[in-house]
Amino acid sequence: MNEFESLGLNESLVKAVTEMGFENPSAIQSKAIPVLLSGTTDFVGLAQTGTGKTAAFGLPLLQLIDASKKYPQALIICPTRELCLQICNDIRDFKKHLPHIVAEPVYGGASIVMQIRALKKGAHIVVATPGRLIDMIERKAIDLEKVKYVVLDEADEMLNMGFRDDIDFVLKNTVQRESIWLFSATMPPEVRNISKNFMSSPKEVTVGKKNTGNANISHQYFIAPANARYETLRRLVDFNPDIYGIVFTRTKADAQEITERLSKEGYDVEAIHGDLTQQQRDKVMQRFRSKNLQILIATDVAARGIDVDGITHVINYELPDDMEVYTHRSGRTARAGKSGICISICNSRESYKIKQLERMVNAQFARLDIPSGKDVCRKQFFHFMDKLMSADISSGSYETYTADLSKKFEDVSKEDVLKRIAALEFDHFLKYYENADDLNVKIDRDRRTPMNNSRDRNDKKNYGRDGGYSKLFINVGSKDGFFKGNFMQFILDESNLNKEVLGRIDLREMNTWVEVDKSAASKMIKSLDGKTHNGRAIRMNEADGGNYNRSDKTKRKRISVHERNK
Ligand code: ADP
Ligand code: MG
């Protein structure tokens, strides 16, 4: 008996997954599917990315749907539109032999009218991002009345992104709900709260160790001077000629800039970030998925949850501020049992972050030297020669030319021919790297401070964002009717900044502390300080006048107390 069948799945579903190449259920699938098939048990599934969670909920959901009733019976909520489309596509694959079940995606950035029209035709399963879903509910365009199953996928991410109130709203408005199925890579207190507030004695299943990374990922980091970040990236890409990877940046501006520079220099790259239209993003993803694009430059929000097979490298152009984000980024590689590399480009002051990451993913990070120009050339050269040797010459009619060729090259040695080929291919490359700098920052490993590197020291002045976030204080909070989502909207609208400048938001009853990218902090203060909101004068200022280091919990506490007593 097929193992999927013995979990209780019906023939059509077993057939579909078999055709998809799934031989055996993954651990989370084996544990979740039998429980979920009951339909009435609340469920919490904790498993790292790439463990097959989509099928773990998608398959039992399809089996529970009554195709003859043409209204939404299941709602899957996930953080981003990319993920929404991906889940919907997966579900459509799973239901290949259940043609009467309809699954529709609902997400922002595309025509709501079309989506409403699609739903009206009678969708059984709706896969939605929170924002658009609320919009649909408010327009009464979706009927949640008879929804029996609500799935929260990547619950930790959704809460990180400030969707808590939206999720609460949806859960409160699915009155005939029979169960909630929550999936998450981690279990922060906010996720725990959802289970406390909305679930009744949920069955909780953990696969692998909580909070640990995927053992198939090897973690590496390079310490580079901040103004040589780009150069380091370029070198790493050149050093890995077969790379098929995603480079993560913290801001849209970085994603854009790196993409422009790399393309100008002839690399096969495109950016994906929140400023692109949905169509543009789909197009980029299409190209990347089909491997017509070697490197994708992405911001976290745009790339979250993306499942593309065979990614060899994930590169952190900068370390994320939120350590959890690292797990999500690195989880884009080493999927479905394959191995992969996650590279971080750091500065010399970030060693402590590496230590934290090592603890979090429970793996050692290898510090490697940035390849020298010579290393890169050598690597490229032999890579090319390997390609030359493995070129398929069996099918062309090359034989016709052999006689003439031998004659033409009669007086030229084999080495000479190879050199000439190499020159054609590498001339520009060799020249570029001929006098390339050594990019490695010299570190006195005992004191862990940079030595003899004026470039690095100068950078600290010039490269604001490298210092991280400024922590700003603002005298509004939940009593002013704010929750995270509308607070973010408010400060961003007022200051005309985009979401990516924001770090953590600590919203209290009376006051809020918000981390803002250092380069954007003064603009935000200028735009908000002195304004009024609902008749109250807004005061916004830097909370501690200096860098705010998120990992320093005691410092944070002290600031809050100090501010509150003011
Ligand atoms: P997660 O949501 O846990 O990050 P996904 O559901 O996106 O993971 O699955 C990751 C990858 O593994 C997908 O490409 C999926 O097709 C594949 N996969 C899932 N289950 C199986 C299985 N039982 N056998 C083989 N591949 C699987
Ligand atoms: Mg997933």
Side-chain angles (χ1 to χ4, degrees):
M1 193 172 179
N2 177 298
E3 278 197 47
F4 282 104
E5 206 178 331
S6 58
L7 295 177
L9 293 171
N10 65 34
E11 204 185 307
S12 316
L13 294 168
V14 174
K15 193 158 170 232
V17 290
T18 309
E19 284 166 5
M20 288 172 74
F22 294 12
E23 286 170 7
N24 291 308
S26 69
I28 186 77
Q29 290 161 6
S30 302
K31 289 184 177 172
I33 291 171
V35 180
L36 297 180
L37 280 173
S38 81
T40 48
T41 314
D42 285 334
F43 182 86
V44 174
L46 294 173
Q48 65 206 28
T49 48
T51 48
K53 293 192 281 293
T54 317
F57 61 76
L59 297 171
L61 214 57
L62 284 163
Q63 187 151 327
L64 290 168
I65 296 294
D66 181 348
S68 67
K69 298 184 173 140
K70 297 197 184 319
Y71 50 72
Q73 295 161 45
L75 183 61
I76 301 168
I77 312 176
C78 62
T80 65
R81 44 191 174 185
E82 274 73 21
L83 199 52
C84 174
L85 286 166
Q86 194 175 291
I87 293 171
C88 204
N89 284 334
D90 286 352
I91 300 256
R92 285 171 180 170
D93 287 340
F94 301 150
K95 68 168 205 70
K96 188 173 161 205
H97 303 293
L98 296 165
H100 301 299
I101 300 182
V102 179
E104 285 295 339
V106 160
Y107 52 94
S111 157
I112 194 168
V113 178
M114 303 280 277
Q115 289 176 359
I116 293 173
R117 210 171 290 157
L119 288 183
K120 287 263 155 69
K121 287 190 192 147
H124 302 97
I125 301 178
V126 177
V127 189
T129 55
R132 178 54 63 91
L133 179 61
I134 300 284
D135 200 351
M136 288 269 193
I137 296 172
E138 282 169 350
R139 288 172 192 232
K140 303 209 182 332
I142 186 170
D143 179 16
L144 298 186
E145 187 80 6
K146 302 194 194 87
V147 167
K148 286 185 171 175
Y149 318 104
V150 176
V151 181
L152 304 173
D153 191 25
E154 305 228 359
D156 50 353
E157 271 313 312
M158 289 201 280
L159 293 165
N160 266 343
M161 292 169 74
F163 286 136
R164 196 189 128 180
D165 297 280
D166 306 79
I167 291 171
D168 282 2
F169 184 81
V170 173
L171 292 178
K172 280 181 193 141
N173 283 282
T174 40
V175 286
Q176 290 191 36
R177 194 183 59 231
E178 290 181 4
S179 51
I180 300 174
W181 309 351
L182 182 153
F183 287 84
S184 191
T186 60
M187 191 69 170
E190 294 92 332
V191 176
R192 181 68 62 202
N193 277 340
I194 290 195
S195 99
K196 259 195 229 137
N197 296 340
F198 293 98
M199 300 188 183
S200 58
S201 36
K203 167 102 179 123
E204 198 172 310
V205 159
T206 304
V207 167
K209 267 190 239 153
K210 275 182 212 178
N211 265 336
T212 58
N214 176 338
N216 293 331
I217 303 175
S218 87
H219 302 269
Q220 308 176 345
Y221 68 106
F222 295 85
I223 295 194
N227 73 347
R229 235 175 243 282
Y230 174 79
E231 194 50 40
T232 303
L233 172 67
R234 182 170 170 183
R235 227 174 255 198
L236 293 174
V237 168
D238 283 341
F239 193 67
N240 294 287
D242 283 327
I243 190 171
Y244 175 51
I246 306 184
V247 176
F248 281 98
T249 64
R250 267 177 24 188
T251 65
K252 282 179 221 173
D254 276 350
Q256 202 74 59
E257 191 195 322
I258 295 170
T259 307
E260 271 162 28
R261 288 178 75 174
L262 285 173
S263 346
K264 216 181 273 168
E265 281 154 5
Y267 295 84
D268 195 10
V269 300
E270 285 211 51
I272 183 163
H273 54 68
D275 274 356
L276 302 182
T277 64
Q278 180 59 35
Q279 260 177 344
Q280 288 170 317
R281 284 159 75 154
D282 290 347
K283 218 168 114 204
V284 173
M285 281 313 298
Q286 181 60 38
R287 286 196 59 207
F288 186 58
R289 248 179 241 289
S290 59
K291 309 212 167 165
N292 284 322
L293 189 65
Q294 213 181 350
I295 300 171
L296 186 68
I297 316 280
T299 56
D300 290 303
V301 174
R304 198 156 283 149
I306 282 179
D307 176 38
V308 174
D309 213 31
I311 289 178
T312 60
H313 291 74
V314 164
I315 301 183
N316 295 298
Y317 187 69
E318 283 177 273
L319 281 178
D321 278 288
D322 195 333
M323 295 287 127
E324 297 281 353
V325 171
Y326 184 92
T327 328
H328 285 274
R329 289 182 177 182
S330 59
R332 298 311 109 217
T333 185
R335 297 178 78 79
K338 298 206 179 91
S339 61
I341 296 175
C342 183
I343 290 178
S344 301
I345 303 176
C346 311
N347 66 42
S348 48
R349 286 157 289 144
E350 286 176 321
S351 334
Y352 77 94
K353 282 194 184 169
I354 298 289
K355 286 253 155 62
Q356 284 177 357
L357 287 172
E358 284 183 329
R359 270 195 300 273
M360 192 180 82
V361 305
N362 197 18
Q364 283 245 306
F365 280 47
R367 178 179 169 191
L368 302 181
D369 281 338
I370 302 167
S372 68
K374 274 208 184 85
D375 296 337
V376 173
C377 289
R378 198 181 154 76
K379 186 76 174 265
Q380 285 280 351
F381 187 84
F382 285 103
H383 178 256
F384 174 75
M385 289 303 164
D386 286 344
K387 243 174 46 191
L388 189 73
M389 287 313 291
S390 59
D392 181 13
I393 49 173
S394 60
S395 55
S397 48
Y398 302 106
E399 300 303 328
T400 15
Y401 309 112
T402 340
D404 288 344
L405 271 179
S406 311
K407 197 150 178 230
K408 197 170 172 69
F409 289 103
E410 216 165 26
D411 304 325
V412 196
S413 73
K414 188 158 98 186
E415 283 70 32
D416 237 34
V417 174
L418 286 176
K419 271 192 226 156
R420 277 163 209 279
I421 294 174
L424 279 180
E425 182 79 3
F426 285 107
D427 199 38
H428 119 102
F429 206 75
L430 292 175
K431 281 210 179 88
Y432 180 81
Y433 277 115
E434 201 168 37
N435 296 312
D437 284 346
D438 176 11
L439 298 180
N440 291 295
V441 175
K442 306 281 175 300
I443 297 224
D444 173 343
R445 281 170 200 269
D446 294 330
R447 286 191 303 137
R448 293 215 167 263
T449 51
M451 296 188 316
N452 309 329
N453 200 315
S454 56
R455 173 146 64 177
D456 192 39
R457 220 168 294 136
N458 289 338
D459 272 351
K460 288 178 194 168
K461 277 199 296 283
N462 304 336
Y463 202 83
R465 219 161 20 69
D466 223 24
Y469 288 122
S470 292
K471 191 185 190 194
L472 307 185
F473 164 87
I474 180 166
N475 64 334
V476 297
S478 57
K479 72 157 192 350
D480 302 286
F482 284 118
F483 50 87
K484 238 180 214 165
N486 68 357
F487 175 77
M488 255 163 58
Q489 202 65 52
F490 170 69
I491 58 175
L492 294 176
D493 285 352
E494 286 293 322
S495 58
N496 204 16
L497 288 162
N498 67 44
K499 200 169 167 181
E500 320 238 58
V501 305
L502 295 181
R504 193 164 284 173
I505 294 176
D506 183 10
L507 189 116
R508 306 283 172 84
E509 195 183 341
M510 309 295 289
N511 305 316
T512 302
W513 286 267
V514 45
E515 289 176 356
V516 179
D517 199 297
K518 285 197 82 174
S519 60
S522 70
K523 183 171 178 199
M524 181 162 291
I525 294 176
K526 258 190 223 135
S527 324
L528 280 145
D529 191 45
K531 286 256 166 67
T532 54
H533 175 72
N534 291 343
R536 203 153 99 91
I538 293 180
R539 185 163 59 83
M540 184 179 232
N541 53 264
E542 273 204 46
D544 62 349
N547 276 358
Y548 169 57
N549 177 349
R550 175 183 286 157
S551 66
D552 190 343
K553 289 220 172 78
T554 48
K555 187 170 165 197
R556 183 150 149 216
K557 229 174 249 156
R558 200 164 62 234
I559 295 162
S560 313
V561 171
H562 166 71
E563 282 292 348
R564 223 175 296 143
N565 293 342
K566 252 189 193 168

